[in-house]
Amino acid sequence: MKSYLNLKEEVWDKNICSGCGACVAVCPVDNIYFKEDSPVKFVCDECACIIAPVEEIEHPVSAEFCKVTLYDVPCGACYDACPRTEKTIVPPIEKGIGRTLKILKAKSKIEIKNSQSGGVVTAILANAFDEDLIDGAIVMMEDKWTMEPKSYLATSKEEVLKSSGSRYNWNVPILKVLKEAVMVKKLKRIAVVGTPCVMNAVYQIMASDNDLLKPFKDAIRLKIGLFCFETYDYDKMMTILEENNINPWEVQKMDIEKGKLVIKLMNGDSVEFKLKDVEHAIRDGCKVCGDFTGITSDISVGNVGTPEGYSTVLVRNKWGKGFIDRAHDNGYIEFEEDVNMDAVKKLVELKKKRKNK
């Protein structure tokens, strides 16, 4: 039976953890946590526990209370939920953008404050709540003043609208709140919004035959993937902004355009950085990912290939098409088939090329 030690050996120690939070969510004894959740580290010297500095790491850590290692109790939930182990069942990315039924240019038709790239994701979720198609949505919430991100469980249309405008440029363990959604609030119809690594973790959970993952796989109803080239460490990026006299509350959005990180400010100005100049702020786990569009999602959404105010939407299966069509029929979104896929494919290939270096 696999344990967190196998996960540590194959993923954490190799510094290829995506930071998605899946292992934290599915551990039945709360053995796994991120260092941010415990500002101190205790070291036992047999006589007393000594407080030691917390290491600068990007992966979770163990509280050393794994029932597999201590009592030989069958589990393996953390290992089976991780999409980056040696036994991952996530499909390869050789086929570029992956399977699609439709490719759309879309935007929201409802008023969404602070929406990004047309507000399509928020509109789809808002319609799903209105129609009682979902009873929860795992999204990211961002402090509008400091830009600090956190995983957020929305349980109503109003809460989804509240989370609109959050930037997924930051790494945050989105799936960390999955345990609260399933085990505490007992939600049965959950939508998950996240970057490709998050979609891969959900895919891994839903394809697993581990009985301990069954409550999670049964509860997830919709997977919305977001185009992602890379995510940044919050503290390191805040240092970059400070060095360039940019206050976090002045930032409207951050995009990768033509090999540059473009930070667009509220006053209409833009500040550009060559990707190599901000490379030190990229999570190491992002450098092993070659999936730009999120091929394991039901619907993929991004702002590449369409004009300002619109999103590119890749409808990947009949399940995703159903959610899109319902949102369209109810007047929540509008769409047409007019997307510059060359721009999308260029970034797809660029990310694959970086992974294979």
Side-chain angles (χ1 to χ4, degrees):
M1 175 62 66
K2 298 288 186 178
S3 74
Y4 85 91
L5 291 176
N6 301 99
L7 183 61
K8 179 178 183 296
E9 178 184 1
E10 296 178 22
V11 181
W12 299 354
D13 290 349
K14 293 181 180 179
N15 218 19
I16 60 173
C17 172
S18 70
C20 68
C23 59
V24 175
V26 303
C27 177
V29 295
D30 296 326
N31 174 55
I32 301 173
Y33 62 94
F34 283 93
K35 65 180 179 64
E36 291 83 359
D37 297 326
S38 179
V40 296
K41 177 181 179 182
F42 294 96
V43 178
C44 180
D45 66 355
E46 297 185 0
C47 294
C49 286
I50 302 169
I51 297 177
V54 179
E55 302 171 68
E56 285 298 322
I57 52 176
E58 295 183 350
H59 59 74
V61 292
S62 167
E64 306 300 337
F65 188 65
C66 174
K67 289 194 174 183
V68 178
T69 59
L70 292 177
Y71 309 115
D72 201 28
V73 174
C75 181
C78 63
Y79 185 90
D80 290 338
C82 179
R84 294 193 174 175
T85 63
E86 294 174 1
K87 293 187 177 181
T88 178
I89 50 180
V90 173
I93 57 168
E94 278 73 19
K95 294 184 179 180
I97 64 170
R99 176 192 180 195
T100 58
L101 295 184
K102 281 189 173 183
I103 299 175
L104 305 171
K105 179 179 80 172
K107 69 176 181 179
S108 171
K109 289 184 70 177
I110 64 172
E111 183 178 351
I112 300 175
K113 188 178 180 180
N114 301 319
S115 67
Q116 300 232 6
S117 304
V120 172
V121 172
T122 302
I124 293 170
L125 295 177
N127 176 74
F129 271 116
D130 266 356
E131 289 203 279
D132 201 28
L133 301 176
I134 60 174
D135 56 8
I138 295 176
V139 296
M140 191 182 87
M141 180 70 83
E142 184 181 63
D143 187 307
K144 306 301 182 185
W145 192 254
T146 66
M147 295 173 64
E148 187 170 4
K150 67 176 181 178
S151 177
Y152 182 66
L153 174 61
T155 56
S156 67
K157 173 183 175 179
E158 291 70 28
E159 290 182 345
V160 161
L161 293 174
K162 181 181 175 181
S163 71
S164 68
S166 295
R167 290 165 280 252
Y168 286 74
N169 305 86
W170 314 115
N171 176 263
V172 59
I174 291 289
L175 294 175
K176 190 167 68 171
V177 296
L178 184 60
K179 178 175 287 184
E180 176 191 352
V182 176
M183 296 301 184
V184 179
K185 296 194 173 180
K186 308 296 184 182
L187 302 182
K188 301 295 185 183
R189 294 163 287 132
I190 302 169
V192 179
V193 181
T195 52
C197 58
V198 174
M199 294 298 102
N200 288 344
V202 174
Y203 180 93
Q204 186 82 6
I205 290 171
M206 297 183 76
S208 174
D209 59 2
N210 187 317
D211 288 342
L212 291 171
L213 298 183
K214 191 175 188 303
F216 302 99
K217 65 190 287 185
D218 289 348
I220 296 171
R221 173 163 285 189
L222 177 66
K223 310 184 298 295
I224 302 180
L226 305 174
F227 291 5
C228 177
F229 197 81
E230 59 206 11
T231 61
Y232 295 95
D233 177 89
Y234 174 79
D235 292 331
K236 291 177 181 178
M237 184 53 70
M238 286 300 103
T239 299
I240 292 174
L241 294 182
E242 183 179 348
E243 291 172 348
N244 288 272
N245 298 314
I246 301 172
N247 295 310
W249 56 87
E250 296 175 323
V251 177
Q252 182 183 44
K253 63 191 304 185
M254 297 167 60
D255 289 319
I256 302 294
E257 298 177 3
K258 299 179 180 179
K260 295 180 180 179
L261 172 65
V262 180
I263 299 179
K264 298 179 181 180
L265 306 180
M266 292 293 187
N267 63 8
D269 293 342
S270 295
V271 181
E272 298 182 355
F273 297 92
K274 294 180 180 179
L275 291 182
K276 66 178 183 179
D277 293 335
V278 294
E279 189 174 15
H280 66 281
I282 301 172
R283 293 189 79 261
D284 286 334
C286 292
K287 298 172 185 177
V288 299
C289 175
D291 185 1
F292 175 67
T293 60
I295 64 173
T296 55
S297 58
D298 300 314
I299 303 167
S300 294
V301 182
N303 64 347
V304 180
T306 46
E308 186 76 23
Y310 286 85
S311 291
T312 294
V313 179
L314 308 181
V315 185
R316 298 192 176 277
N317 52 39
K318 292 181 179 179
W319 195 258
K321 183 177 182 297
F323 277 87
I324 288 287
D325 288 344
R326 296 292 285 258
H328 177 262
D329 293 344
N330 291 328
Y332 276 76
I333 63 172
E334 62 179 67
F335 58 69
E336 56 185 285
E337 297 181 16
D338 180 23
V339 178
N340 176 14
M341 286 306 296
D342 288 340
V344 178
K345 290 176 180 178
K346 184 176 181 180
L347 283 176
V348 166
E349 293 305 315
L350 187 61
K351 189 170 184 181
K352 285 170 60 179
K353 182 179 179 181
R354 184 182 69 179
K355 173 183 180 292
N356 294 328
K357 281 185 179 180

